[in-house]
Structures are given as C-alpha cells and as structure tokens.
C-alpha cells in the first residue's frame, strides 16, 4: 500500500477519492440518464471531477482547459444540439430501435472488460522514458505541453479536432427525427 501511495499525503488521497467519486457518479449519470439534458449535466460533473484531478497533479493549465473548453464550450454545444433537435424529452428505454443492439453492446462490453483484465495482468507498461520528453524538464507546464502538441503530436491533435467535428455531425444525423406530419385535427385548431 505504501508503494502505491508513495509520497502522497492524507489530503492528496482525500482529494483523489472525492474527485474519483464525482467522476464516477457523473459517468454513471451519463450512461443511465434517460433525459439527454440530464446526461449532459452529468457530463459536466464528470469533467469538473477530472479538472480537480488535474489540479491535484499540478497540471493547472489542463484543469483550466478542461473547465473552459470541455465543461464550458463543448457541453454548451451539446446542449444547443439537444435543444435544437428536440431530443430533450425522456426516452423509452424499453423500446429497442436497433434490433440486436443490446446483445452486441453486452458482448462488446465484456470484450473490453476482458481486454482490460488481460492488460492488467501483462507487463505492457515498459517503464521506458517518455518519448515526448521528461515532464519535469525546465520550462513552464504550458510551454512543455505546447511544444509537445505542436511538434511531435501535431497530426494527432488535428485529427482529434476532425474527429470531434465528425462526431457532432454524426450525432445530429442520428438524432434527427422525421418531420411530423400535420394532423387534420391540429390544422382545425
């Protein structure tokens, strides 16, 4: 146990436990919430918990980016899309719109769980020095991050932004509902 905790103080452990509980509660809320708006608000809770974990790791810039960009801009974008598409009502989770999605999701979940167990038992962490340079190198945290993102990982960084745009467009296409036909009774009103 001492090997796992290292030089962590009781305050460090307490902050980690509280933040981890917040992250997990938010993540569970995202998954089990039937209302898309509630799921988005649970996502905000998760993102704030991750920001606290960044602060605990002394990555203050990442914590600020986490709150400003993800909890602020991206979740607000999600809420705009949800409101724009009118999917902010409770969904009937008993109705299975895609045939066989639940058994497939269960199989994929078990596969991922098995993969995590497999990786936990193997020696996949090499212990080699980071290819992006030491985290305690001279210079500010922001400078090291910017140098890493805009040199070695520039292509991956740009591909991530493209994937986010594709995900938003895909979400809009998937959540789009067919136009409601005008019923004669509604016309009469």
């Amino acid at each position: 146990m001492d090997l796992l905790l290292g030089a962590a103080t009781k305050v460090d452990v307490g902050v980690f436990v509280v933040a981890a509980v917040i992250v997990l509660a938010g993540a569970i809320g995202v998954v089990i919430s039937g209302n898309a708006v509630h799921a988005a608000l649970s996502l905000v809770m998760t993102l704030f918990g991750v920001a606290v974990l960044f602060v605990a790791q002394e990555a203050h810039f990442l914590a600020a980016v986490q709150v400003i960009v993800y909890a602020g801009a991206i979740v607000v974008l999600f809420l705009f899309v949800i409101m724009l598409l009118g999917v902010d009502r409770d969904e009937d989770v008993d109705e299975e719109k895609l045939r066989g999605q639940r058994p497939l999701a269960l199989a994929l979940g078990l596969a991922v769980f098995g993969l995590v167990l497999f990786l936990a038992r193997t020696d996949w962490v090499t212990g080699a020095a980071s290819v992006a340079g030491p985290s305690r190198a001279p210079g500010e945290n922001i400078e090291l991050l910017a140098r890493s993102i805009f040199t070695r990982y520039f292509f991956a960084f740009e591909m991530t932004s493209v994937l986010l745009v594709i995900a938003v467009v895909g979400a809009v296409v998937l959540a789009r509902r067919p136009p409601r036909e005008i019923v004669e009774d509604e016309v009469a009103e």
Side-chain angles (χ1 to χ4, degrees):
M1 187 70 175
D2 289 338
L3 182 64
L4 291 175
L5 295 178
T9 63
K10 290 180 181 177
V11 174
D12 293 336
V13 174
V15 168
F16 175 78
V17 169
V18 170
V21 168
I22 291 171
V23 168
L24 289 175
I28 291 170
V30 170
V31 173
I32 66 170
S33 179
N35 188 313
V37 174
H38 296 163
L41 294 176
S42 295
L43 180 62
V44 170
M45 189 166 82
T46 298
L47 294 173
F48 272 113
V50 172
V52 171
L53 291 174
F54 281 143
V55 169
Q57 294 295 314
E58 298 182 8
H60 304 290
F61 177 72
L62 286 178
V65 168
Q66 180 80 15
V67 171
I68 294 169
V69 174
Y70 289 102
I74 291 184
V75 173
V76 169
L77 175 68
F78 285 168
L79 289 173
F80 276 128
V81 170
I82 289 168
M83 299 295 181
L84 183 68
L85 297 175
V87 291
D88 55 338
R89 295 176 294 274
D90 285 334
E91 295 288 328
D92 183 14
V93 292
D94 293 333
E95 180 186 351
E96 191 170 348
K97 294 181 179 176
L98 296 174
R99 185 181 254 173
Q101 67 179 355
R102 290 186 179 149
L104 180 63
L106 180 64
L108 288 175
L110 289 174
V112 169
F113 184 70
L115 182 64
V116 168
L117 287 179
F118 173 74
L119 291 175
R121 302 187 99 211
T122 60
D123 193 20
W124 62 284
V125 177
T126 62
S130 171
V131 294
S135 61
R136 299 284 182 200
E140 290 292 322
N141 187 358
I142 299 169
E143 180 184 337
L144 294 172
L145 178 67
R147 186 179 305 134
S148 183
I149 286 176
F150 294 114
T151 56
R152 179 179 288 274
Y153 298 108
F154 181 74
F155 181 71
F157 181 72
E158 291 300 321
M159 287 306 298
T160 303
S161 65
V162 170
L163 287 175
L164 283 173
V165 171
I166 292 171
V168 169
V169 171
V172 169
V173 170
L174 288 174
R176 190 177 58 192
R177 294 174 187 241
R180 209 174 83 190
E181 294 182 19
I182 299 175
V183 181
E184 291 182 12
D185 294 341
E186 292 180 356
V187 174
E189 293 176 2

